[in-house]
Amino acid sequence: MSCLQRQPQLSRSQEILRYARSQKAIQTNAKILGMEGDMDLQFLLQGGDLLKVRSSSWKKTRYFRLQEDCKTMWHESKKLFNEKQLFEHAEVTSSTEEQVEGRCFSIMFKGRRKNLDLIASSEEEARQWVKSLEKMMYNRNNLSLQQKTEHWIYTCLNKADKNKDDKMSQSEVKNFLRLINIEVDDVYTEMLFAKCDTSKSGYLSGAEIEHFYDLLTHREEIDVIYGEYAKTTGFMSPENLVDFLMKEQREKATLVDAHKIIEKYELDENAKGKKLLSKDGFLMYLHTPEALVYNSDHREVYQDMSHPLSHYFISSSHNTYLMEDQLKGPSSTEAYVRALLKGCRCVELDCWDGSDDEPVIYHGYTLTSKILFKDAIQAIKDHAFKTSDYPVILSLENHCSVEQQEVMARHMSSILGSALVTSPLCDGMPTNFPSPEELRGKFLIKGKRLNKLEATYVPEAAVADETDKKKKKLKLAKELSNMVIYCKSVHFNGFEDARQNLSFYEMSSFKEGKAMKLAEESANAYVRHNVEKLSRIYPAGSRTDSSNYNPVPLWNAGCQIVALNFQTACQDMDLNQGRFLVNGKSGYILKPAFMREEGAEFDPITLTRGDWLKHKTLHVMVISAQQLPKVNKKKSSIVDPLVKVQVFGVPADVAEKETPAVENNGFNPTWNENLQFDVYVPELALVRFAVEDHDSTSDNEFVGQYTLPFNSLKMGYRHVPLLNKNGDILPSARLFVHVMVLDAE
């Protein structure tokens, strides 16, 4: 849900008045959600008692119900909150607890907020809550941009209407403008109000509010573009639309495509009947996923997934169990769930001896809390393949005694079952990694091993002495050692040593400083090393605040497992999310061909490569933005937005350019600013659109951003969705840009 708060007690008469006023709001919001008369929505609006669980000893019955805005949950509490507690959940899941299995469910939230764990009075009631919440969230997440905008503006209008009389006075109009992020002077407010107050009543109502909405949402830039191609009695014919798609959007379009667009997005039935596209239908189409700046073909798995594992960048997490910092922050199975739902395919488990012969996970020698190893494995198993069904690597930092290592092995074997890879997929000794396709739905263990995998295929007596020696030295349980097949951890002693002495499955982990130095000073050697072997990079130990490093230079060197602190929102995580946005969010991105071939010549520093192509020129015209959020929640605070366009990639491609700031307008600012970039290695480049609130006396404040691979850009007039600091979509906020990619002369 997006909001959970406590409401003050109302008298019976106040409750009746409130109920009467709320019915219109419920009907409006239910209609927008497509849930008019829906029994599941009615169940949520009625609500019921649930047992709220904070620990095994703290369980309290609370009454929960959905409010009339159809997004805010209210619950009774013995304490008064000083302010609203806002959050959005990622999903609703069933959970288990002794003696009440089947009655438990959890609401998982976006951001750092802890899960809300609840117990219903019966299994049937628990299923009803889960079903109803999931349906409502599905409908909310699948609203069109126009529906999201209407819902947002309606909510702001409702807030501005202080006396709830469904009318807007001039002061309420000014308050509303502030709520939607526009600061205007009194003269403009009076002019706008007078233009809409056709009844001369001193307030706006009904059709006058609709006219006010139309004036606010009118977009001159769309008028200009539409006017260029609407050559059929003021409308776009299918032929006009094909002309626009081919000339401006650089798409291969046919009349069949044009007819489909008109049929799907035209709102005016009269125009649709004549096979024409109105301006509103045209704008509706420009907001659809297939018309955004991100190539919609890349939303699905489109890359070849049959290459060896070492040929892919792999979405990877460091200290996955932590929710916050690395000194005293909480450890939680929730952190694993969140990372996996974001498409992470390599998670880390720091394992230590626990009480009652049960291994625990925490950041050793710190005040971070502990979780049971078996609970983490169960959470990983339950959520590993919800976002992606490609393999998950469990990176073990093993500090346990041999006895508790045996317990670890038993837990992984019993919980993960046949999904755990415990022997090579092929017959005989493998000579290369299997592919992500061959490993779908599987778990790989990364950790130390008592001997080489080759020893499995040699008579046991020949390796017994070596195994016994290593067991004593490593203090490693044989049961755990035998689970390490394709990701054996070894020390790195140089590229030449690795080439001559290490098998393909023997991999090293590099602290960020060491890795960065290698990527700068021995870039081509690193690229060649990573053709057939895996490399894992992790943040420096000094990052006790769980901050991150720039992953791009390591990807440029071909490193596959570049592990970041997923719990920390920052530009580095934006880049990670952008890198793995494509290919169906599978968590696996195929490296460019010039980084996969044996003896690769590519050097990201000197820009030498075997199949050199002419570089590209990227032209971006930043035209406008719509419905930017407030940075400061104070009513009087309005953003002064500017847009930065950044390119990340090989050193020669790194660049940043920005527009001027627009004062006091976060609702519909306009720039029409042209920016140009040279891109030499487009296969590795990422493009980041960032919106900031300009401040002349201090650092600009973050408003929203969107990052995607250069080769996933679509040309032409495109909307750019915006994400908040946590990487979640800002429902109504967009940039509008024109993109062109040309071969450099």
Side-chain angles (χ1 to χ4, degrees):
M1 309 309 303
S2 67
C3 186
L4 185 67
Q5 64 189 72
R6 184 191 184 278
Q7 270 180 214
Q9 288 289 327
L10 299 176
S11 69
R12 180 61 180 159
S13 60
Q14 287 175 315
E15 191 65 50
I16 291 171
L17 286 171
R18 182 189 178 282
Y19 175 79
R21 286 197 300 265
S22 71
Q23 293 312 293
K24 183 177 180 181
I26 290 173
Q27 290 169 6
T28 301
N29 289 307
K31 184 177 181 180
I32 291 172
L33 285 170
M35 297 181 73
E36 290 178 285
D38 186 273
M39 296 305 293
D40 290 313
L41 182 62
Q42 294 304 314
F43 171 82
L44 294 174
L45 289 166
Q46 180 178 337
D49 288 331
L50 293 168
L51 198 62
K52 183 180 175 183
V53 182
R54 284 186 182 165
S55 68
S56 57
S57 59
W58 194 103
K59 297 174 184 176
K60 303 287 184 182
T61 299
R62 295 287 183 258
Y63 184 79
F64 288 81
R65 68 173 171 81
L66 183 68
Q67 294 201 131
E68 59 266 20
D69 62 3
C70 296
K71 67 175 182 179
T72 303
M73 284 294 285
W74 172 81
H75 77 102
E76 67 173 349
S77 174
K78 302 298 181 186
K79 296 180 180 179
L80 286 170
F81 290 121
N82 293 325
E83 59 183 20
K84 292 181 180 179
Q85 296 180 321
L86 302 174
F87 50 75
E88 289 189 2
H89 81 270
E91 65 170 32
V92 183
T93 61
S94 300
S95 56
T96 59
E97 186 170 313
E98 284 184 37
Q99 300 177 337
V100 290
E101 187 173 349
R103 290 166 47 201
C104 305
F105 65 97
S106 298
I107 298 177
M108 287 187 293
F109 305 109
K110 295 176 180 178
R112 289 187 172 185
R113 193 179 187 93
K114 284 191 173 183
N115 288 0
L116 180 59
D117 299 317
L118 302 165
I119 302 176
S121 59
S122 67
E123 291 187 20
E124 182 181 358
E125 186 186 8
R127 285 194 295 270
Q128 181 65 57
W129 274 102
V130 171
K131 174 173 170 279
S132 300
L133 286 167
E134 286 183 337
K135 180 192 277 191
M136 191 188 66
M137 291 310 302
Y138 176 83
N139 283 27
R140 285 184 60 78
N141 291 336
N142 286 277
L143 291 176
S144 69
L145 188 75
Q146 180 178 347
Q147 289 170 318
K148 289 176 183 175
T149 300
E150 286 177 358
H151 190 253
W152 176 66
I153 289 180
Y154 176 80
T155 302
C156 291
L157 282 168
N158 207 34
K159 284 182 183 177
D161 184 12
K162 294 294 185 185
N163 60 0
K164 306 302 178 189
D165 61 355
D166 295 328
K167 299 174 184 178
M168 298 285 288
S169 67
Q170 188 168 313
S171 64
E172 286 175 331
V173 166
K174 181 141 187 162
N175 185 38
F176 167 73
L177 291 172
R178 288 196 185 103
L179 285 171
I180 63 170
N181 219 352
I182 306 178
E183 180 66 48
V184 294
D185 58 33
D186 291 339
V187 174
Y188 181 80
T189 304
E190 288 174 14
M191 181 272 291
L192 190 63
F193 190 86
K195 194 170 185 178
C196 297
D197 184 17
T198 55
S199 65
K200 308 301 179 186
S201 61
Y203 56 79
L204 307 183
S205 64
E208 293 171 331
I209 293 179
E210 289 183 22
H211 181 44
F212 176 60
Y213 169 81
D214 289 339
L215 286 176
L216 279 177
T217 55
H218 175 252
R219 292 178 57 186
E220 186 178 349
E221 71 272 28
I222 299 299
D223 290 351
V224 172
I225 300 165
Y226 182 77
E228 283 286 316
Y229 290 91
K231 305 297 186 183
T232 308
T233 62
F235 288 85
M236 269 191 184
S237 67
E239 291 79 8
N240 298 153
L241 182 54
V242 168
D243 200 24
F244 167 77
L245 293 172
M246 295 184 72
K247 287 183 179 178
E248 299 291 352
Q249 309 299 79
R250 304 298 176 100
E251 295 182 5
K252 296 176 181 178
T254 65
L255 284 173
V256 172
D257 298 323
H259 281 292
K260 286 180 180 177
I261 290 171
I262 293 171
E263 181 62 31
K264 190 172 183 180
Y265 300 112
E266 179 50 56
L267 303 173
D268 186 321
E269 291 299 327
N270 188 39
K272 185 187 289 188
K274 296 177 181 178
K275 308 299 182 187
L276 297 174
L277 187 66
S278 67
K279 187 173 66 178
D280 286 342
F282 177 66
L283 181 56
M284 180 77 81
Y285 168 67
L286 288 180
H287 279 306
T288 61
E290 57 263 35
L292 297 180
V293 73
Y294 169 41
N295 188 339
S296 59
D297 292 341
H298 295 180
R299 293 178 185 275
E300 305 300 325
V301 174
Y302 70 96
Q303 295 179 339
D304 184 352
M305 302 301 279
S306 64
H307 287 263
L309 211 59
S310 58
H311 288 186
Y312 297 84
F313 298 124
I314 303 171
S315 180
S316 306
S317 165
H318 171 252
N319 286 355
T320 315
Y321 49 90
L322 288 177
M323 299 286 282
E324 297 174 13
D325 67 79
Q326 302 183 36
L327 292 179
K328 51 184 174 45
S331 304
S332 174
T333 57
E334 293 174 31
Y336 286 101
V337 174
R338 294 179 190 213
L340 291 166
L341 291 177
K342 288 181 178 179
C344 179
R345 299 291 86 188
C346 179
V347 297
E348 185 178 22
L349 301 94
D350 279 358
C351 309
W352 299 79
D353 280 357
S355 57
D356 301 322
D357 294 324
E358 283 292 348
V360 294
I361 293 174
Y362 82 113
H363 199 48
Y365 308 113
T366 68
L367 298 177
T368 58
S369 62
K370 300 174 182 178
I371 56 175
L372 292 177
F373 177 81
K374 64 179 180 180
D375 289 347
I377 297 298
Q378 185 65 56
I380 291 168
K381 188 230 179 183
D382 291 344
H383 297 88
F385 304 114
K386 288 197 171 185
T387 297
S388 166
D389 55 2
Y390 287 98
V392 171
I393 300 170
L394 306 183
S395 180
L396 301 182
E397 293 296 323
N398 179 11
H399 306 279
C400 290
S401 63
V402 172
E403 292 75 20
Q404 293 210 12
Q405 290 175 37
E406 292 171 352
V407 177
M408 288 168 57
R410 286 199 299 273
H411 284 323
M412 288 192 289
S413 180
S414 64
I415 295 171
L416 302 180
S418 61
L420 179 63
V421 174
T422 56
S423 61
L425 268 59
C426 60
D427 293 328
M429 177 62 201
T431 57
N432 206 345
F433 289 103
S435 68
E437 187 63 38
E438 292 172 302
L439 290 165
R440 285 177 89 143
K442 298 291 186 182
F443 294 96
L444 302 177
I445 304 299
K446 173 196 163 293
K448 289 183 167 51
R449 187 181 164 92
L450 289 169
N451 54 17
K452 287 212 171 221
L453 187 61
E454 289 86 344
T456 308
Y457 301 93
V458 176
E460 190 172 335
V463 295
D465 290 341
E466 179 193 356
T467 301
D468 288 341
K469 287 177 186 176
K470 287 197 173 183
K471 188 171 182 179
K472 291 174 184 176
K473 185 178 180 181
L474 288 175
K475 295 184 179 178
L476 184 61
K478 184 179 180 182
E479 294 86 348
L480 191 61
S481 169
N482 289 347
M483 288 180 170
V484 177
I485 305 300
Y486 290 113
C487 300
K488 178 189 175 185
S489 300
V490 297
H491 287 294
F492 179 74
N493 296 309
F495 293 121
E496 185 60 26
D497 174 78
R499 189 181 68 80
Q500 291 188 5
N501 300 318
L502 296 185
S503 299
F504 75 90
Y505 59 86
E506 293 180 300
M507 61 175 290
S508 300
S509 291
F510 302 83
K511 191 177 292 186
E512 63 171 279
K514 171 72 170 177
M516 290 287 188
K517 186 176 181 181
L518 290 172
E520 290 172 6
E521 298 177 0
S522 308
N524 177 250
Y526 218 170
V527 170
R528 292 188 180 195
H529 174 84
N530 289 321
V531 170
E532 67 165 21
K533 293 181 179 65
L534 292 173
S535 291
R536 176 179 177 269
I537 319 301
Y538 61 95
S542 57
R543 295 186 182 274
T544 55
D545 58 351
S546 290
S547 59
N548 279 308
Y549 56 95
N550 181 1
V552 174
L554 289 317
W555 290 326
N556 292 343
C559 298
Q560 303 87 349
I561 303 176
V562 182
L564 298 180
N565 291 306
F566 270 51
Q567 68 272 31
T568 303
C570 58
Q571 179 177 284
D572 306 309
M573 272 305 300
D574 293 343
L575 297 174
N576 193 78
Q577 187 172 6
R579 169 68 72 203
F580 295 100
L581 173 70
V582 300
N583 206 32
K585 292 186 178 178
S586 63
Y588 285 84
I589 302 297
L590 185 64
K591 293 195 280 189
F594 54 80
M595 300 180 81
R596 304 195 307 260
E597 56 205 18
E598 188 176 349
E601 297 177 30
F602 175 65
D603 189 312
I605 307 300
T606 62
L607 287 188
T608 55
R609 65 188 253 194
D611 60 341
W612 186 253
L613 301 173
K614 281 205 305 184
H615 74 274
K616 306 285 186 183
T617 301
L618 170 64
H619 299 267
V620 177
M621 183 181 190
V622 180
I623 302 171
S624 62
Q626 298 79 44
Q627 287 96 58
L628 299 176
K630 284 172 171 280
V631 172
N632 188 319
K633 295 302 180 183
K634 290 181 180 178
K635 184 173 69 175
S636 60
S637 175
I638 309 297
V639 301
D640 302 328
L642 61 81
V643 178
K644 289 182 177 179
V645 180
Q646 302 163 299
V647 177
F648 296 86
V650 299
D653 289 345
V654 176
E656 176 181 305
K657 297 182 180 180
E658 66 183 56
T659 70
V662 174
E663 291 187 5
N664 289 328
N665 188 350
F667 184 73
N668 55 3
T670 300
W671 293 277
N672 293 318
E673 192 79 11
N674 286 296
L675 308 174
Q676 181 176 320
F677 304 85
D678 289 320
V679 180
Y680 291 89
V681 188
E683 299 92 335
L684 290 173
L686 295 166
V687 180
R688 184 173 186 259
F689 298 88
V691 183
E692 296 179 355
D693 181 12
H694 175 67
D695 192 320
S696 58
T697 60
S698 62
D699 291 340
N700 295 345
E701 290 193 77
F702 175 91
V703 175
Q705 68 85 30
Y706 189 73
T707 306
L708 74 166
F710 180 92
N711 282 346
S712 293
L713 284 169
K714 290 190 82 171
M715 290 192 276
Y717 290 102
R718 304 289 176 181
H719 283 101
V720 181
L722 293 173
L723 310 179
N724 64 18
K725 282 184 179 179
N726 293 319
D728 302 316
I729 195 77
L730 291 166
S732 302
R734 298 270 169 118
L735 290 176
F736 188 53
V737 301
H738 185 271
V739 176
M740 190 59 60
V741 177
L742 301 172
D743 289 330
E745 295 181 358

